[in-house]
Amino acid sequence: DTAVSQTPKYLVTQMGNDKSIKCEQNLGHDTMYWYKQDSKKFLKIMFSYNNKELIINETVPNRFSPKSPDKAHLNLHINSLELGDSAVYFCASSPALGAATTEAFFGQGTRLTVV
Amino acid sequence: DAKTTQPTSMDCAEGRAANLPCNHSTISGNEYVYWYRQIHSQGPQYIIHGLKNNETNEMASLIITEDRKSSTLILPHATLRDTAVYYCIVRVPDTGNQFYFGTGTSLTVIP
């Protein structure tokens, strides 16, 4: 049973389109995240949500809009896709905000290619 | 978050211990040291974490110096499946719980 699952695993789309990536965790965690890993393999946090509330938004263009319908889900919607959005997007979750000793669990990633 | 410095790449012979160093000279008293790894095309995987004392689990050992300015991740008997990028992260516990990843060390285990 996958702890953090993302769909789709691969996504190829044209510039200008709008697309969504879904993420679900079955660990009962309070905090969920989206990370972006670019072609240089640098892994950078985009958003952090705690109990459905946005905690961190790391200078991400407002074309990116996370949505958390409930604690177990954090979806990422991207409007007007650009070539530079091509990357691997990872969803993650961890037990509790502010808990120093907790680790984060990552999904397997969604490889987005904008053509 | 405290900045970490790791070597860009390392090799290790299969069956030998892999010792991956990390410098975190500006670490503060309440920051923990975490290690993650990312095997090609997969999501990052938690390995181990610690505050002051050395830690060991089924995957690895973490040795933290007494002044806490550096640490070493030890994979006691490296296998080919341990080939991955290893990230050392120092984490502030009260700023949103996020993990900031650096460039990591690319470990290649050689047969």
PDB file of all heavy atoms in Angstrom, chain A residues 73-105:
ATOM      1  N   HIS A  73      -5.076  14.986   1.061  1.00  0.00           N
ATOM      2  CA  HIS A  73      -4.868  15.303  -0.345  1.00  0.00           C
ATOM      3  C   HIS A  73      -4.296  16.702  -0.518  1.00  0.00           C
ATOM      4  O   HIS A  73      -4.721  17.653   0.153  1.00  0.00           O
ATOM      5  CB  HIS A  73      -6.187  15.223  -1.129  1.00  0.00           C
ATOM      6  CG  HIS A  73      -6.783  13.857  -1.182  1.00  0.00           C
ATOM      7  ND1 HIS A  73      -7.570  13.358  -0.164  1.00  0.00           N
ATOM      8  CD2 HIS A  73      -6.685  12.880  -2.128  1.00  0.00           C
ATOM      9  CE1 HIS A  73      -7.944  12.129  -0.485  1.00  0.00           C
ATOM     10  NE2 HIS A  73      -7.429  11.812  -1.650  1.00  0.00           N
ATOM     11  N   LEU A  74      -3.329  16.801  -1.426  1.00  0.00           N
ATOM     12  CA  LEU A  74      -2.811  18.105  -1.824  1.00  0.00           C
ATOM     13  C   LEU A  74      -2.544  18.047  -3.316  1.00  0.00           C
ATOM     14  O   LEU A  74      -1.608  17.394  -3.764  1.00  0.00           O
ATOM     15  CB  LEU A  74      -1.528  18.461  -1.073  1.00  0.00           C
ATOM     16  CG  LEU A  74      -0.947  19.838  -1.422  1.00  0.00           C
ATOM     17  CD1 LEU A  74      -1.911  20.952  -1.039  1.00  0.00           C
ATOM     18  CD2 LEU A  74       0.401  20.058  -0.731  1.00  0.00           C
ATOM     19  N   ASN A  75      -3.420  18.702  -4.076  1.00  0.00           N
ATOM     20  CA  ASN A  75      -3.303  18.683  -5.522  1.00  0.00           C
ATOM     21  C   ASN A  75      -2.619  19.955  -6.003  1.00  0.00           C
ATOM     22  O   ASN A  75      -2.692  21.003  -5.352  1.00  0.00           O
ATOM     23  CB  ASN A  75      -4.690  18.547  -6.159  1.00  0.00           C
ATOM     24  CG  ASN A  75      -5.423  17.309  -5.662  1.00  0.00           C
ATOM     25  OD1 ASN A  75      -4.824  16.256  -5.460  1.00  0.00           O
ATOM     26  ND2 ASN A  75      -6.725  17.430  -5.445  1.00  0.00           N
ATOM     27  N   LEU A  76      -1.958  19.839  -7.146  1.00  0.00           N
ATOM     28  CA  LEU A  76      -1.251  20.993  -7.713  1.00  0.00           C
ATOM     29  C   LEU A  76      -1.820  21.287  -9.083  1.00  0.00           C
ATOM     30  O   LEU A  76      -1.762  20.439  -9.979  1.00  0.00           O
ATOM     31  CB  LEU A  76       0.249  20.679  -7.818  1.00  0.00           C
ATOM     32  CG  LEU A  76       1.143  21.817  -8.310  1.00  0.00           C
ATOM     33  CD1 LEU A  76       1.134  22.981  -7.317  1.00  0.00           C
ATOM     34  CD2 LEU A  76       2.566  21.312  -8.528  1.00  0.00           C
ATOM     35  N   HIS A  77      -2.371  22.465  -9.218  1.00  0.00           N
ATOM     36  CA  HIS A  77      -2.920  22.879 -10.502  1.00  0.00           C
ATOM     37  C   HIS A  77      -2.002  23.929 -11.108  1.00  0.00           C
ATOM     38  O   HIS A  77      -1.571  24.860 -10.418  1.00  0.00           O
ATOM     39  CB  HIS A  77      -4.331  23.460 -10.320  1.00  0.00           C
ATOM     40  CG  HIS A  77      -5.012  23.707 -11.619  1.00  0.00           C
ATOM     41  ND1 HIS A  77      -5.554  22.702 -12.375  1.00  0.00           N
ATOM     42  CD2 HIS A  77      -5.222  24.853 -12.302  1.00  0.00           C
ATOM     43  CE1 HIS A  77      -6.082  23.221 -13.475  1.00  0.00           C
ATOM     44  NE2 HIS A  77      -5.897  24.517 -13.450  1.00  0.00           N
ATOM     45  N   ILE A  78      -1.698  23.760 -12.399  1.00  0.00           N
ATOM     46  CA  ILE A  78      -0.799  24.690 -13.073  1.00  0.00           C
ATOM     47  C   ILE A  78      -1.509  25.264 -14.291  1.00  0.00           C
ATOM     48  O   ILE A  78      -1.951  24.511 -15.171  1.00  0.00           O
ATOM     49  CB  ILE A  78       0.506  23.997 -13.532  1.00  0.00           C
ATOM     50  CG1 ILE A  78       1.073  23.104 -12.426  1.00  0.00           C
ATOM     51  CG2 ILE A  78       1.530  25.051 -13.933  1.00  0.00           C
ATOM     52  CD1 ILE A  78       2.202  22.200 -12.872  1.00  0.00           C
ATOM     53  N   ASN A  79      -1.621  26.567 -14.313  1.00  0.00           N
ATOM     54  CA  ASN A  79      -2.254  27.253 -15.448  1.00  0.00           C
ATOM     55  C   ASN A  79      -1.199  27.718 -16.462  1.00  0.00           C
ATOM     56  O   ASN A  79      -0.053  27.972 -16.114  1.00  0.00           O
ATOM     57  CB  ASN A  79      -3.011  28.497 -14.961  1.00  0.00           C
ATOM     58  CG  ASN A  79      -4.247  28.141 -14.179  1.00  0.00           C
ATOM     59  OD1 ASN A  79      -4.891  27.130 -14.443  1.00  0.00           O
ATOM     60  ND2 ASN A  79      -4.584  28.962 -13.196  1.00  0.00           N
ATOM     61  N   SER A  80      -1.628  27.817 -17.688  1.00  0.00           N
ATOM     62  CA  SER A  80      -0.793  28.416 -18.752  1.00  0.00           C
ATOM     63  C   SER A  80       0.632  27.879 -18.709  1.00  0.00           C
ATOM     64  O   SER A  80       1.601  28.627 -18.536  1.00  0.00           O
ATOM     65  CB  SER A  80      -0.769  29.940 -18.596  1.00  0.00           C
ATOM     66  OG  SER A  80      -2.069  30.459 -18.617  1.00  0.00           O
ATOM     67  N   LEU A  81       0.757  26.591 -18.875  1.00  0.00           N
ATOM     68  CA  LEU A  81       2.052  25.941 -18.747  1.00  0.00           C
ATOM     69  C   LEU A  81       3.099  26.525 -19.677  1.00  0.00           C
ATOM     70  O   LEU A  81       2.817  26.874 -20.830  1.00  0.00           O
ATOM     71  CB  LEU A  81       1.894  24.442 -18.997  1.00  0.00           C
ATOM     72  CG  LEU A  81       1.399  23.674 -17.770  1.00  0.00           C
ATOM     73  CD1 LEU A  81       0.691  22.402 -18.153  1.00  0.00           C
ATOM     74  CD2 LEU A  81       2.567  23.394 -16.834  1.00  0.00           C
ATOM     75  N   GLU A  82       4.322  26.628 -19.142  1.00  0.00           N
ATOM     76  CA  GLU A  82       5.455  27.156 -19.905  1.00  0.00           C
ATOM     77  C   GLU A  82       6.534  26.078 -20.014  1.00  0.00           C
ATOM     78  O   GLU A  82       6.564  25.136 -19.231  1.00  0.00           O
ATOM     79  CB  GLU A  82       6.030  28.384 -19.190  1.00  0.00           C
ATOM     80  CG  GLU A  82       5.027  29.507 -19.008  1.00  0.00           C
ATOM     81  CD  GLU A  82       5.607  30.677 -18.217  1.00  0.00           C
ATOM     82  OE1 GLU A  82       6.766  30.581 -17.738  1.00  0.00           O
ATOM     83  OE2 GLU A  82       4.883  31.693 -18.090  1.00  0.00           O
ATOM     84  N   LEU A  83       7.428  26.276 -20.983  1.00  0.00           N
ATOM     85  CA  LEU A  83       8.495  25.293 -21.179  1.00  0.00           C
ATOM     86  C   LEU A  83       9.304  25.100 -19.896  1.00  0.00           C
ATOM     87  O   LEU A  83       9.710  23.977 -19.562  1.00  0.00           O
ATOM     88  CB  LEU A  83       9.426  25.741 -22.316  1.00  0.00           C
ATOM     89  CG  LEU A  83       8.834  25.747 -23.722  1.00  0.00           C
ATOM     90  CD1 LEU A  83       9.853  26.288 -24.724  1.00  0.00           C
ATOM     91  CD2 LEU A  83       8.355  24.362 -24.133  1.00  0.00           C
ATOM     92  N   GLY A  84       9.528  26.186 -19.161  1.00  0.00           N
ATOM     93  CA  GLY A  84      10.333  26.131 -17.940  1.00  0.00           C
ATOM     94  C   GLY A  84       9.678  25.379 -16.802  1.00  0.00           C
ATOM     95  O   GLY A  84      10.326  25.135 -15.777  1.00  0.00           O
ATOM     96  N   ASP A  85       8.428  25.024 -16.978  1.00  0.00           N
ATOM     97  CA  ASP A  85       7.752  24.245 -15.938  1.00  0.00           C
ATOM     98  C   ASP A  85       8.103  22.766 -16.031  1.00  0.00           C
ATOM     99  O   ASP A  85       7.752  21.991 -15.132  1.00  0.00           O
ATOM    100  CB  ASP A  85       6.228  24.403 -16.063  1.00  0.00           C
ATOM    101  CG  ASP A  85       5.774  25.827 -15.849  1.00  0.00           C
ATOM    102  OD1 ASP A  85       6.456  26.583 -15.116  1.00  0.00           O
ATOM    103  OD2 ASP A  85       4.734  26.216 -16.432  1.00  0.00           O
ATOM    104  N   SER A  86       8.758  22.381 -17.103  1.00  0.00           N
ATOM    105  CA  SER A  86       9.160  20.980 -17.258  1.00  0.00           C
ATOM    106  C   SER A  86      10.102  20.607 -16.118  1.00  0.00           C
ATOM    107  O   SER A  86      11.131  21.253 -15.909  1.00  0.00           O
ATOM    108  CB  SER A  86       9.865  20.769 -18.598  1.00  0.00           C
ATOM    109  OG  SER A  86       8.981  20.991 -19.670  1.00  0.00           O
ATOM    110  N   ALA A  87       9.746  19.575 -15.401  1.00  0.00           N
ATOM    111  CA  ALA A  87      10.491  19.161 -14.214  1.00  0.00           C
ATOM    112  C   ALA A  87       9.830  17.916 -13.655  1.00  0.00           C
ATOM    113  O   ALA A  87       8.795  17.471 -14.156  1.00  0.00           O
ATOM    114  CB  ALA A  87      10.488  20.265 -13.154  1.00  0.00           C
ATOM    115  N   VAL A  88      10.429  17.391 -12.587  1.00  0.00           N
ATOM    116  CA  VAL A  88       9.767  16.336 -11.825  1.00  0.00           C
ATOM    117  C   VAL A  88       9.212  16.968 -10.554  1.00  0.00           C
ATOM    118  O   VAL A  88       9.924  17.667  -9.835  1.00  0.00           O
ATOM    119  CB  VAL A  88      10.727  15.185 -11.461  1.00  0.00           C
ATOM    120  CG1 VAL A  88       9.970  14.103 -10.691  1.00  0.00           C
ATOM    121  CG2 VAL A  88      11.368  14.603 -12.713  1.00  0.00           C
ATOM    122  N   TYR A  89       7.941  16.740 -10.304  1.00  0.00           N
ATOM    123  CA  TYR A  89       7.269  17.313  -9.138  1.00  0.00           C
ATOM    124  C   TYR A  89       7.027  16.201  -8.121  1.00  0.00           C
ATOM    125  O   TYR A  89       6.465  15.160  -8.447  1.00  0.00           O
ATOM    126  CB  TYR A  89       5.951  17.973  -9.552  1.00  0.00           C
ATOM    127  CG  TYR A  89       6.178  19.204 -10.400  1.00  0.00           C
ATOM    128  CD1 TYR A  89       6.385  19.097 -11.775  1.00  0.00           C
ATOM    129  CD2 TYR A  89       6.225  20.478  -9.831  1.00  0.00           C
ATOM    130  CE1 TYR A  89       6.625  20.230 -12.542  1.00  0.00           C
ATOM    131  CE2 TYR A  89       6.461  21.605 -10.597  1.00  0.00           C
ATOM    132  CZ  TYR A  89       6.664  21.460 -11.953  1.00  0.00           C
ATOM    133  OH  TYR A  89       6.906  22.585 -12.719  1.00  0.00           O
ATOM    134  N   PHE A  90       7.469  16.465  -6.895  1.00  0.00           N
ATOM    135  CA  PHE A  90       7.318  15.477  -5.824  1.00  0.00           C
ATOM    136  C   PHE A  90       6.375  16.005  -4.760  1.00  0.00           C
ATOM    137  O   PHE A  90       6.504  17.139  -4.293  1.00  0.00           O
ATOM    138  CB  PHE A  90       8.662  15.172  -5.165  1.00  0.00           C
ATOM    139  CG  PHE A  90       9.608  14.381  -6.006  1.00  0.00           C
ATOM    140  CD1 PHE A  90      10.628  15.011  -6.703  1.00  0.00           C
ATOM    141  CD2 PHE A  90       9.470  13.007  -6.111  1.00  0.00           C
ATOM    142  CE1 PHE A  90      11.506  14.282  -7.485  1.00  0.00           C
ATOM    143  CE2 PHE A  90      10.353  12.270  -6.886  1.00  0.00           C
ATOM    144  CZ  PHE A  90      11.366  12.899  -7.578  1.00  0.00           C
ATOM    145  N   CYS A  91       5.480  15.160  -4.357  1.00  0.00           N
ATOM    146  CA  CYS A  91       4.624  15.419  -3.217  1.00  0.00           C
ATOM    147  C   CYS A  91       5.233  14.715  -2.000  1.00  0.00           C
ATOM    148  O   CYS A  91       5.881  13.666  -2.146  1.00  0.00           O
ATOM    149  CB  CYS A  91       3.225  14.871  -3.502  1.00  0.00           C
ATOM    150  SG  CYS A  91       2.048  15.040  -2.163  1.00  0.00           S
ATOM    151  N   ALA A  92       5.041  15.277  -0.827  1.00  0.00           N
ATOM    152  CA  ALA A  92       5.564  14.655   0.390  1.00  0.00           C
ATOM    153  C   ALA A  92       4.625  14.949   1.546  1.00  0.00           C
ATOM    154  O   ALA A  92       3.790  15.864   1.472  1.00  0.00           O
ATOM    155  CB  ALA A  92       6.969  15.183   0.698  1.00  0.00           C
ATOM    156  N   SER A  93       4.765  14.189   2.610  1.00  0.00           N
ATOM    157  CA  SER A  93       3.974  14.454   3.815  1.00  0.00           C
ATOM    158  C   SER A  93       4.823  14.152   5.052  1.00  0.00           C
ATOM    159  O   SER A  93       5.790  13.384   4.983  1.00  0.00           O
ATOM    160  CB  SER A  93       2.691  13.619   3.842  1.00  0.00           C
ATOM    161  OG  SER A  93       2.971  12.261   4.113  1.00  0.00           O
ATOM    162  N   SER A  94       4.459  14.794   6.143  1.00  0.00           N
ATOM    163  CA  SER A  94       5.118  14.511   7.418  1.00  0.00           C
ATOM    164  C   SER A  94       4.094  14.659   8.533  1.00  0.00           C
ATOM    165  O   SER A  94       3.074  15.335   8.358  1.00  0.00           O
ATOM    166  CB  SER A  94       6.320  15.433   7.637  1.00  0.00           C
ATOM    167  OG  SER A  94       5.916  16.767   7.748  1.00  0.00           O
ATOM    168  N   PRO A  95       4.367  14.068   9.694  1.00  0.00           N
ATOM    169  CA  PRO A  95       3.330  13.966  10.735  1.00  0.00           C
ATOM    170  C   PRO A  95       2.778  15.265  11.284  1.00  0.00           C
ATOM    171  O   PRO A  95       1.582  15.422  11.372  1.00  0.00           O
ATOM    172  CB  PRO A  95       4.021  13.161  11.829  1.00  0.00           C
ATOM    173  CG  PRO A  95       5.023  12.347  11.124  1.00  0.00           C
ATOM    174  CD  PRO A  95       5.509  13.224   9.999  1.00  0.00           C
ATOM    175  N   ALA A  96       3.645  16.209  11.670  1.00  0.00           N
ATOM    176  CA  ALA A  96       3.105  17.358  12.384  1.00  0.00           C
ATOM    177  C   ALA A  96       3.962  18.575  12.176  1.00  0.00           C
ATOM    178  O   ALA A  96       5.186  18.507  12.118  1.00  0.00           O
ATOM    179  CB  ALA A  96       2.998  17.057  13.877  1.00  0.00           C
ATOM    180  N   LEU A  97       3.318  19.697  12.078  1.00  0.00           N
ATOM    181  CA  LEU A  97       4.019  20.960  11.932  1.00  0.00           C
ATOM    182  C   LEU A  97       4.806  21.248  13.187  1.00  0.00           C
ATOM    183  O   LEU A  97       4.314  21.108  14.298  1.00  0.00           O
ATOM    184  CB  LEU A  97       2.990  22.068  11.711  1.00  0.00           C
ATOM    185  CG  LEU A  97       3.535  23.476  11.512  1.00  0.00           C
ATOM    186  CD1 LEU A  97       4.272  23.550  10.193  1.00  0.00           C
ATOM    187  CD2 LEU A  97       2.405  24.487  11.541  1.00  0.00           C
ATOM    188  N   GLY A  98       6.056  21.661  13.016  1.00  0.00           N
ATOM    189  CA  GLY A  98       6.857  22.065  14.155  1.00  0.00           C
ATOM    190  C   GLY A  98       7.482  20.930  14.925  1.00  0.00           C
ATOM    191  O   GLY A  98       8.214  21.160  15.880  1.00  0.00           O
ATOM    192  N   ALA A  99       7.242  19.707  14.508  1.00  0.00           N
ATOM    193  CA  ALA A  99       7.846  18.584  15.219  1.00  0.00           C
ATOM    194  C   ALA A  99       9.221  18.323  14.638  1.00  0.00           C
ATOM    195  O   ALA A  99       9.343  17.869  13.510  1.00  0.00           O
ATOM    196  CB  ALA A  99       6.956  17.350  15.081  1.00  0.00           C
ATOM    197  N   ALA A 100      10.233  18.574  15.407  1.00  0.00           N
ATOM    198  CA  ALA A 100      11.596  18.552  14.881  1.00  0.00           C
ATOM    199  C   ALA A 100      12.054  17.173  14.463  1.00  0.00           C
ATOM    200  O   ALA A 100      12.863  17.039  13.570  1.00  0.00           O
ATOM    201  CB  ALA A 100      12.552  19.105  15.930  1.00  0.00           C
ATOM    202  N   THR A 101      11.532  16.178  15.095  1.00  0.00           N
ATOM    203  CA  THR A 101      12.108  14.857  14.871  1.00  0.00           C
ATOM    204  C   THR A 101      11.399  14.060  13.784  1.00  0.00           C
ATOM    205  O   THR A 101      11.718  12.918  13.560  1.00  0.00           O
ATOM    206  CB  THR A 101      12.072  14.043  16.172  1.00  0.00           C
ATOM    207  OG1 THR A 101      10.703  13.840  16.533  1.00  0.00           O
ATOM    208  CG2 THR A 101      12.789  14.769  17.279  1.00  0.00           C
ATOM    209  N   THR A 102      10.444  14.686  13.133  1.00  0.00           N
ATOM    210  CA  THR A 102       9.691  13.881  12.170  1.00  0.00           C
ATOM    211  C   THR A 102      10.311  13.952  10.788  1.00  0.00           C
ATOM    212  O   THR A 102      10.797  14.972  10.358  1.00  0.00           O
ATOM    213  CB  THR A 102       8.246  14.365  12.084  1.00  0.00           C
ATOM    214  OG1 THR A 102       8.256  15.750  11.737  1.00  0.00           O
ATOM    215  CG2 THR A 102       7.523  14.172  13.399  1.00  0.00           C
ATOM    216  N   GLU A 103      10.238  12.829  10.095  1.00  0.00           N
ATOM    217  CA  GLU A 103      10.774  12.812   8.734  1.00  0.00           C
ATOM    218  C   GLU A 103       9.630  12.982   7.746  1.00  0.00           C
ATOM    219  O   GLU A 103       8.465  12.811   8.085  1.00  0.00           O
ATOM    220  CB  GLU A 103      11.508  11.495   8.457  1.00  0.00           C
ATOM    221  CG  GLU A 103      10.633  10.261   8.476  1.00  0.00           C
ATOM    222  CD  GLU A 103      10.627   9.571   9.820  1.00  0.00           C
ATOM    223  OE1 GLU A 103      10.803  10.270  10.831  1.00  0.00           O
ATOM    224  OE2 GLU A 103      10.435   8.347   9.844  1.00  0.00           O
ATOM    225  N   ALA A 104       9.979  13.309   6.529  1.00  0.00           N
ATOM    226  CA  ALA A 104       9.004  13.449   5.459  1.00  0.00           C
ATOM    227  C   ALA A 104       9.057  12.222   4.558  1.00  0.00           C
ATOM    228  O   ALA A 104      10.117  11.640   4.348  1.00  0.00           O
ATOM    229  CB  ALA A 104       9.280  14.708   4.643  1.00  0.00           C
ATOM    230  N   PHE A 105       7.890  11.850   4.067  1.00  0.00           N
ATOM    231  CA  PHE A 105       7.774  10.722   3.153  1.00  0.00           C
ATOM    232  C   PHE A 105       7.398  11.277   1.777  1.00  0.00           C
ATOM    233  O   PHE A 105       6.458  12.069   1.666  1.00  0.00           O
ATOM    234  CB  PHE A 105       6.702   9.745   3.636  1.00  0.00           C
ATOM    235  CG  PHE A 105       7.051   9.086   4.935  1.00  0.00           C
ATOM    236  CD1 PHE A 105       6.834   9.758   6.138  1.00  0.00           C
ATOM    237  CD2 PHE A 105       7.585   7.821   4.971  1.00  0.00           C
ATOM    238  CE1 PHE A 105       7.157   9.166   7.352  1.00  0.00           C
ATOM    239  CE2 PHE A 105       7.901   7.217   6.177  1.00  0.00           C
ATOM    240  CZ  PHE A 105       7.692   7.889   7.364  1.00  0.00           C
TER     241      PHE A 105
END
